[in-house]
Amino acid sequence: MRKRLIVSAAGALSLFLAVPASASDFQPGAAGVGDSYYPTYGNGGYRVSHYDIRLKYQPATDELEGTTTLLATATQDLSRFNLDFALNVSEVRVNGRPATFATSGEQELQITPARPLAKGSQATVVVRYKGVPSTVKKYGFTAWLRTPDGAVAAGEPESAWWWFPSNDHPSDKATFDVSVQVPDGNQVISNGILTGTSSQAGWTRYSWRENKPQATYLATLAVGKFDISTDTTPSGLPVYNAYSKDLGDNADAARASVERTGELVDWLSGIFGDYPFSSVGGYVPNVPTGFALETQTRVFYSPRQFAKGANTSVVVHELAHQWYGDSVSLSRWSDIWLNEGFARYAQFLWSEHENEGTAQELADYVYASHPADDPFWSVKPGDPGPDDQFAGAVYDRGAVAIQALRNAVGDEKFFRILKGWPSERRYGNATIPEFQAYAEKVSGQKLGGLFDTWLFTAAKPAVGPVPAGAPAAASLAPAAADRRDEQPPAEPKSWKKIQEANPPQGVRH
Ligand SMILES: [Zn+2]
């Protein structure tokens, strides 16, 4: 007894002696990744390379339970770190040892490992949890959408919190395995390739794999009863599309749009270069929402987007994001123009291809149809602020900015930039200044003035996106300029279909 006491005292002493050299180096990781728009989103102190998400879901009751395993690497000496998550956690293990955990804020899960994590070391983090995601509100909402026969996780920037714990910011991308058990007769849709299904005792497990880096908000999950269509594109890429069995009058228009995915991804490959992922497709669950989301390889569409008939423009928009947004992702949410400006511009190019209005005509139309005092011009597409992140101006003025770039550098260099950038930054992250530097390198032109005017000024540019050699509006006599304003160009034929790709304003998703 006495001997043991002496030994443990000696142990405590040596621990004490070791402490001063290192204790101050082991600090808690930050509760946010440092994004000015969403200060608590993502976390500091580590990066995730892989998520293994293993779930069981009961559509009748919306009960979800599961275990997610993260492979992480510490980027600082960590005494504690956070994940972003909303469901109830029952157990956390770090490198096999039970860890203590607590919740804080809206979606912070604080984890204190039994042994601190040294900078550069790898950690396996296992989180067990369960909940009824549709009932869990964060910031007053849930991104978990229930359908008559199941549920869907799709939302931007938030959707992960309701089904897997994560470092929830696009600057930390990882590969994903998603394996979900559901009652027989239901299907599970997720990203990438369906690697297998197995049935046992009334339950079927679907296993999906996305083998290329994926941002957490681009991970998606749908459970329900779907009609599945599989195919390969003309260039040999596997296509997997799914349609809820109860889409009613919208079913055929949805198919007439989404079944063209293979054709459209091949057409976009001609503009943006090789498609970056190993599968492609979309799914249309029976949700009441009105938006689509470029969930990686497997686009989420709302049936309402096909209520006025087929819309290939929406499909083009979401597929364009596979290059601009998914393969090349945002480093920070303020750079949303790198996603939405280019996806909208792809719709302009599709309109041009379909003889429903050229990109120039569409850009002229946007410029002319918003007078200088329209609040439209007060949104800076290059830094719109979190409340206007998905404002129409980010899309439309954002695309006009790209037409202005095209006019400034000429078609040959412009299309080299459009195709070169996704290859230069493939599977990575980027900022608008980095894109500008790339465009300057390819074009050999200084573009600071153009970017300032179109992306970073809260006012209508004095001159529209005029093609080289055309008279600029500002050079016309004031009376002539007024007349020009009185007679805006006619609405291009493609305009309404293009706008149907917009998220509903004022609806947070
Ligand atoms: Zn978009």
Side-chain angles (χ1 to χ4, degrees):
M1 198 67 190
R2 184 173 167 77
K3 190 179 173 187
R4 279 181 68 182
L5 194 66
I6 291 167
V7 168
S8 79
L13 182 65
S14 67
L15 185 67
F16 177 77
L17 290 173
V19 163
S22 61
S24 61
D25 298 335
F26 284 82
Q27 300 285 339
V33 82
D35 194 295
S36 64
Y37 283 22
Y38 306 102
T40 65
Y41 291 16
N43 304 288
Y46 66 95
R47 292 182 66 81
V48 179
S49 60
H50 183 70
Y51 292 92
D52 183 275
I53 303 168
R54 201 170 170 87
L55 306 174
K56 184 175 188 180
Y57 181 69
Q58 174 54 265
T61 58
D62 197 35
E63 287 171 296
L64 179 76
E65 60 181 299
T67 304
T68 288
T69 303
L70 300 80
L71 303 183
T73 303
T75 56
Q76 68 177 70
D77 286 338
L78 275 178
S79 58
R80 197 181 80 198
F81 61 93
N82 284 18
L83 296 174
D84 301 297
F85 196 45
L87 302 185
N88 285 329
V89 172
S90 58
E91 183 187 12
V92 178
R93 283 177 180 261
V94 178
N95 292 332
R97 290 175 167 73
T100 56
F101 58 92
T103 56
S104 74
E106 288 283 301
Q107 84 289 353
E108 299 296 324
L109 175 65
Q110 281 184 358
I111 297 172
T112 306
R115 295 185 304 186
L117 303 175
K119 180 179 179 178
S121 66
Q122 297 207 311
T124 304
V125 183
V126 178
V127 182
R128 289 183 193 278
Y129 51 92
K130 69 164 117 182
V132 178
S134 61
T135 65
V136 177
K137 302 274 168 69
K138 294 294 167 185
Y139 301 97
F141 74 101
T142 173
W144 183 263
L145 309 167
R146 290 217 64 193
T147 59
D149 57 13
V152 173
E156 182 182 13
E158 312 88 352
S159 73
W161 307 343
W162 291 270
W163 63 291
F164 66 98
S166 73
N167 189 26
D168 194 21
H169 193 270
S171 59
D172 190 9
K173 304 192 333 181
T175 54
F176 279 71
D177 278 317
V178 175
S179 179
V180 185
Q181 207 177 24
V182 290
D184 287 348
N186 293 279
Q187 281 100 32
V188 177
I189 314 294
S190 189
N191 313 87
I193 297 278
L194 181 62
T195 59
T197 60
S198 61
S199 292
Q200 194 183 6
W203 292 77
T204 305
R205 176 173 290 283
Y206 290 77
S207 298
W208 290 88
R209 167 166 291 178
E210 175 48 51
N211 67 345
K212 295 291 188 289
Q214 172 172 278
T216 44
Y217 81 97
L218 296 171
T220 194
L221 174 67
V223 176
K225 294 184 167 65
F226 292 93
D227 289 324
I228 310 291
S229 84
T230 60
D231 202 350
T232 51
T233 66
S235 61
L237 184 68
V239 182
Y240 187 105
N241 295 323
Y243 307 87
S244 181
K245 286 183 185 291
D246 53 2
L247 294 180
D249 286 352
N250 295 329
D252 291 336
R255 278 178 181 273
S257 314
V258 178
E259 285 301 304
R260 293 182 67 180
T261 292
E263 169 201 346
L264 297 172
V265 85
D266 276 359
W267 176 75
L268 284 164
S269 301
I271 299 163
F272 295 146
D274 291 344
Y275 179 74
F277 305 120
S278 51
S279 73
V280 72
Y283 71 96
V284 191
N286 187 11
V287 286
T289 52
F291 68 97
L293 184 63
E294 62 270 24
T295 37
Q296 190 159 307
T297 70
R298 193 118 308 105
V299 172
F300 161 86
Y301 299 97
S302 297
R304 195 141 53 90
Q305 293 180 296
F306 308 110
K308 294 173 187 157
N311 191 340
T312 48
S313 190
V314 169
V315 179
V316 164
H317 179 106
E318 304 306 333
L319 291 176
H321 277 309
Q322 303 303 312
W323 287 263
Y324 283 85
D326 294 12
S327 173
V328 186
S329 300
L330 303 175
S331 295
R332 49 191 193 194
W333 282 108
S334 58
D335 290 315
I336 189 69
W337 172 77
L338 286 175
N339 290 8
E340 301 306 344
F342 288 84
R344 173 55 42 91
Y345 195 76
Q347 296 178 272
F348 283 18
L349 292 175
W350 179 242
S351 167
E352 197 164 304
H353 177 266
E354 295 291 281
N355 293 316
E356 293 185 340
T358 65
Q360 183 64 47
E361 286 165 351
L362 285 156
D364 285 341
Y365 181 72
V366 171
Y367 184 77
S369 55
H370 296 283
D373 60 356
D374 188 329
F376 176 88
W377 298 108
S378 66
V379 175
K380 296 181 284 185
D383 187 9
D387 292 341
D388 282 325
Q389 198 187 341
F390 300 103
V394 173
Y395 294 68
D396 289 335
R397 182 177 172 181
V400 178
I402 295 169
Q403 182 65 21
L405 172 67
R406 179 177 175 177
N407 289 333
V409 303
D411 273 13
E412 191 272 323
K413 283 170 179 162
F414 174 72
F415 285 104
R416 254 206 290 150
I417 293 165
L418 274 195
K419 190 179 278 190
W421 174 252
S423 157
E424 177 106 347
R425 293 295 179 131
R426 180 174 278 219
Y427 308 135
N429 295 85
T431 63
I432 293 174
E434 289 166 348
F435 176 81
Q436 183 189 323
Y438 178 77
E440 289 181 340
K441 189 180 82 179
V442 173
S443 67
Q445 287 176 235
K446 284 283 171 211
L447 298 166
L450 184 143
F451 276 70
D452 276 352
T453 300
W454 286 100
L455 298 183
F456 295 102
T457 303
K460 183 172 183 174
V463 180
V466 278
S475 70
L476 301 175
D482 285 350
R483 263 202 306 282
R484 190 184 160 105
D485 281 345
E486 282 164 19
Q487 295 180 325
E491 181 182 297
K493 276 188 198 153
S494 57
W495 182 250
K496 287 193 172 66
K497 292 289 185 191
I498 288 174
Q499 294 296 305
E500 283 169 24
N502 291 3
Q505 293 310 305
V507 175
R508 179 146 191 181
H509 67 263

